[in-house]
Amino acid sequence: MGQDSSFLLKILGITPERTSAVLKQDLITMIETKRAELIQVAITNGLTSSVAIRYSQELDKLLNEYNKIYIKKVPSTAL
């Protein structure tokens, strides 16, 4: 299991054995929550504050995990 997956499991409080129990909606909810937290922190502390950067990186990890699990890769076609 990769580092990003471990991050997600840690946030969710799920043991690796229960990974399959993570539902798509749970991840979407986490993304929406982290995005709202980031907006509030950026308004309060500034977009370039260390806390806003940390929240942004956490949101990036959640989005990357979502893309890795749920977004199908579409092969590019030559024109």
Side-chain angles (χ1 to χ4, degrees):
M1 192 165 287
Q3 186 178 16
D4 288 340
S5 297
S6 298
F7 168 79
L8 178 61
L9 294 176
K10 182 178 175 184
I11 288 176
L12 291 172
I14 295 175
T15 61
E17 298 78 38
R18 293 191 55 227
T19 304
S20 62
V22 176
L23 300 175
K24 183 177 184 179
Q25 189 57 47
D26 294 332
L27 190 50
I28 291 170
T29 300
M30 290 173 56
I31 290 168
E32 291 170 349
T33 300
K34 186 57 69 176
R35 183 178 288 129
E37 291 171 351
L38 171 59
I39 291 168
Q40 190 58 47
V41 164
I43 289 170
T44 304
N45 300 300
L47 196 56
T48 59
S49 67
S50 61
V51 67
I53 291 170
R54 186 177 71 241
Y55 276 51
S56 177
Q57 290 170 338
E58 291 171 1
L59 177 58
D60 287 345
K61 288 180 182 180
L62 291 170
L63 290 167
N64 289 339
E65 190 67 20
Y66 180 89
N67 285 333
K68 186 168 74 174
I69 295 170
Y70 296 110
I71 304 299
K72 303 259 187 276
K73 301 284 188 239
V74 177
S76 61
T77 57
L79 294 178

